[in-house]
């Protein structure tokens, strides 16, 4: 099963040093029954793209909580055994939890298929979106518009061998 793990660049750097995205249970995003119902598509590629975007929003939340992190969303696509990830049935209909799964056990960076990261030119919009997130969550439509502006930037695809270049010197 492919899961999408939201991170920040410092989190990716830590994963590069330790070889693990986390020891579990780890929050990730995947194609869940609730996501399928919400997205209304049977196309697996489209559904995985929707799960990736849910993880990008979770990465934005991590950025909002860490003002010192570079303002670039990071999502790591990882293949885990089918039984390793499970959705919480109590949160299945919560719009904030669409596609959310918990991955049990350690998640090794070596199992990553790819890394998705914002381009440098997304930094201003991602910065504004991270600042506006709390107001958007409280129902402010103008703030939601700013948050949605980050979605105008497609995350770039990187091979796992490129992680040292993404996290910088000393990685």
């Amino acid at each position: 099963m492919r899961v999408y793990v939201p991170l920040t660049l410092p989190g990716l750097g830590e994963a590069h040093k330790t070889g693990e995205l986390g020891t579990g249970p780890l929050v990730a995003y995947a194609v869940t029954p609730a996501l399928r119902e919400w997205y209304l598509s049977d196309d697996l590629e489209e559904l995985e793209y929707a799960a990736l975007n849910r993880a990008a929003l979770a990465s934005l939340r991590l950025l909002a909580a860490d003002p010192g992190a570079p303002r670039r969303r990071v999502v790591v696509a990882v293949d885990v055994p089918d039984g390793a990830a499970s959705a919480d049935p109590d949160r299945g209909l919560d719009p904030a939890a669409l596609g959310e799964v918990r991955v049990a056990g350690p998640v090794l960076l070596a199992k990553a298929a790819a890394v998705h990261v914002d381009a440098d030119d997304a930094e201003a919009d991602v910065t504004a979106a991270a600042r506006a997130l709390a107001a958007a969550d409280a129902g402010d439509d103008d703030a939601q518009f700013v948050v949605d502006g980050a979605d105008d930037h497609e995350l770039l695809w990187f091979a796992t061998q490129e992680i040292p270049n993404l996290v910088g010197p000393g990685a």
Side-chain angles (χ1 to χ4, degrees):
M1 166 183 238
R2 169 104 2 129
V3 299
Y4 299 90
V5 180
L7 290 175
T8 61
L9 282 173
L12 182 61
E14 184 64 22
H16 181 66
K17 286 179 192 167
T18 65
E20 288 185 346
L21 294 171
T23 56
L26 187 67
V27 174
Y29 293 80
V31 177
T32 63
L35 184 77
R36 281 181 189 276
E37 188 175 323
W38 171 74
Y39 198 74
L40 298 174
S41 174
D42 289 330
D43 185 309
L44 184 58
E45 191 172 309
E46 287 181 16
L47 290 164
E48 286 184 344
Y49 183 72
L52 170 67
N53 284 330
R54 300 297 296 168
L57 177 59
S59 176
L60 185 64
R61 291 186 183 289
L62 293 173
L63 290 173
D66 183 0
R71 307 282 94 180
R72 293 169 70 191
R73 298 168 297 167
V74 177
V75 176
V76 180
V78 183
D79 293 317
V80 299
D82 285 342
S86 61
D88 182 347
D90 294 333
R91 288 182 41 97
L93 299 177
D94 179 355
L98 283 170
E100 186 180 283
V101 295
R102 303 258 185 235
V103 182
V107 178
L108 302 177
L109 186 58
K111 297 292 184 183
V115 179
H116 303 271
V117 181
D118 275 311
D120 292 337
D121 68 353
E123 191 171 324
D125 288 336
V126 171
T127 298
R131 285 187 190 132
L133 197 55
D137 287 346
D140 183 323
D141 289 337
D142 292 335
Q144 186 62 53
F145 181 78
V146 173
V147 171
D148 291 343
D151 289 338
D152 291 341
H153 298 276
E154 295 285 330
L155 296 178
L156 302 177
W157 182 95
F158 294 92
T160 56
Q161 298 88 331
E162 297 177 271
I163 292 173
N165 296 331
L166 291 170
V167 297

